Amino acid sequence: MSSSNFKKAIEVTAVPKGAMRSIMIGGKEIMVVNVGGNLYALDNKCTHMGGPLAKGKLDGFVVTCPWHGSQFDVRTGTIKRGPAQKTQPTHAVKVEDGTIFVEMK
Ligand code: FES
């Protein structure tokens, strides 16, 4: 994995435990989420019809899309409940000097 693909996303302090934030990185909407102090990043637009996941609900590791209720595991993007049929793309995350960086492929 090349570290050069990591893009600056948001300050760590802006994503407290239980928070979901959407950020534009290189023209793409990314959601950064904090579950119990661990950070994960996914595409923010739901694979179903583009709903904004960061505006949905977080329950443990599962985010529920606000539009039609699809559920994804934020660690892997795996579908826990439809109507979505495609895994939600995920991105690697790292923290340096209090800033979250997200890997863009
Ligand atoms: S857009 Fe997310 S469930 Fe339909």
Side-chain angles (χ1 to χ4, degrees):
M1 173 166 47
S2 163
S3 61
S4 63
N5 288 332
F6 279 90
K7 305 293 184 205
K8 193 171 180 171
I10 189 169
E11 302 302 307
V12 173
T13 52
V15 193
K17 285 179 188 174
M20 301 189 283
R21 300 280 182 262
S22 67
I23 304 138
M24 284 296 265
I25 304 178
K28 194 160 190 187
E29 273 182 51
I30 301 295
M31 171 179 96
V32 176
V33 52
N34 181 335
V35 182
N38 294 312
L39 296 162
Y40 305 94
L42 303 89
D43 284 6
N44 188 50
K45 289 189 170 190
C46 178
T47 56
H48 178 229
M49 288 179 71
L53 290 187
K55 289 199 160 71
K57 262 186 61 189
L58 184 66
D59 183 12
F61 290 104
V62 176
V63 61
T64 302
C65 178
W67 282 9
H68 316 100
S70 289
Q71 294 184 328
F72 304 94
D73 188 314
V74 299
R75 296 168 291 187
T76 57
T78 305
I79 299 164
K80 302 302 249 183
R81 188 176 79 189
Q85 298 193 337
K86 274 176 66 187
T87 300
Q88 191 68 17
T90 55
H91 301 264
V93 172
K94 68 176 182 179
V95 176
E96 270 176 20
D97 297 329
T99 299
I100 299 169
F101 290 79
V102 172
E103 189 187 27
M104 303 301 290
K105 293 151 201 157

